[in-house]
Amino acid sequence: MTDWSPVFISMKTASLSIFITFFVGLFVAWGLVKLKNDSIKIVLDGIFTLPLVLPPTVVGFFLLWTFGVRGPIGKFFIDFFTVKIAFSWSATVIAAVVMSFPLMYRSARAAFEQVDSNLLDAGRTLGMSEWKIFWKVLFANALPGIISGGILAYARGLGEFGATAMLAGNIAGQTRTLPMAVYSEVAAGNMGEAFNYVIVIIIIAFVAIFIMDYISIRKEKQWK
C-alpha cells in the first residue's frame, strides 16, 4: 500500500516555502531594481542567483554547514531555544526556500524592469508615495511575470531533492518529500510505488505549467 505521507509533507513544505520566497524575492527584486550602483547590483545579483546554477548538493553542503548542530545558526538555535534545525521538517522548508528563491527573484526583477518608468514618474508627479507606487503601479503592471515566477518557484520547491537530502535527510513521515520517496522506492526495488509518486509529481508540474501559460495567453490577448 502506497504511503501518501510524502505527498502531504511536500505540499506542506512547498506551501510554506513559496509564502516566504514570494515576498522575500519580490522585495529583494524591487530593491535591486532601485539600486543605482551597477557594481553592487552585479555582485548581489550573482549571489542571489548562485543557488540556481550551483549543484543542489553544494548548496545543501553550505546549508548543512550553516544550520547543522555545529554550524553558527544551528548551534545558536540549539543553545538558546533547544531546537534542532538539521534533519527536521524545518530543514525541508529552508532547502526549498533557498533553491526556489532565484526563480522568484529573477522573474520578479525581469517583470519590474519591463514596466515603463514613465508610469512610475507619473505616480511621483501625482504625489504618490514610493510604497503606493510599488503596489499600485509597479506591482500591478508586473503581476503576470510575478505570478509566473511564483508558480515556477512553487514547482521548484516541490521538486527539490539535492539540498533537501543534505540538510533534512530522508526520514519517513518527517522529511521524506516526493522526490526523496521516489529515490527511496527505486533504491528498494519498489518500482510500482515509485511510479505512483512520479505520476503525482508530473500532474502537479503540468498544472503549474498550464496555469503559467494560461496567464501569459490572457495577458497577450489584453495587449491586443
Side-chain angles (χ1 to χ4, degrees), residues 200-215:
V200 173
I201 295 174
I202 290 173
I203 291 172
I204 295 172
F206 178 80
V207 169
I209 295 170
F210 178 84
I211 294 172
M212 190 169 57
D213 288 342
Y214 178 75
I215 292 170

Side-chain angles (χ1 to χ4, degrees), residues 93-117:
V93 176
I94 293 170
V97 167
V98 171
M99 294 304 297
S100 62
F101 170 80
L103 288 171
M104 183 65 224
Y105 153 71
R106 295 196 69 85
S107 296
R109 182 182 170 185
F112 288 154
E113 289 175 341
Q114 288 176 4
V115 176
D116 189 350
S117 60

Side-chain angles (χ1 to χ4, degrees), residues 40-52 54 101-102 105:
I40 296 176
K41 185 181 289 189
I42 291 170
V43 171
L44 290 177
D45 181 70
I47 293 171
F48 295 142
T49 307
L50 264 180
L52 190 64
L54 286 175
F101 170 80
Y105 153 71

Side-chain angles (χ1 to χ4, degrees), residues 50-64 94-96 98-100 156 159-168 180:
L50 264 180
L52 190 64
V53 295
L54 286 175
T57 48
V58 173
V59 178
F61 170 82
F62 283 110
L63 289 176
L64 186 59
I94 293 170
V98 171
M99 294 304 297
S100 62
R156 181 67 185 86
E160 165 49 32
F161 176 80
T164 301
M166 293 288 288
L167 182 63
M180 299 298 299

Side-chain angles (χ1 to χ4, degrees), residues 158-215:
L158 192 71
E160 165 49 32
F161 176 80
T164 301
M166 293 288 288
L167 182 63
N170 186 18
I171 307 170
Q174 295 182 44
T175 66
R176 181 171 293 173
T177 57
L178 276 168
M180 299 298 299
V182 172
Y183 175 82
S184 298
E185 296 301 339
V186 170
N190 301 324
M191 300 304 290
E193 298 297 316
F195 184 77
N196 291 337
Y197 294 132
V198 168
I199 291 298
V200 173
I201 295 174
I202 290 173
I203 291 172
I204 295 172
F206 178 80
V207 169
I209 295 170
F210 178 84
I211 294 172
M212 190 169 57
D213 288 342
Y214 178 75
I215 292 170

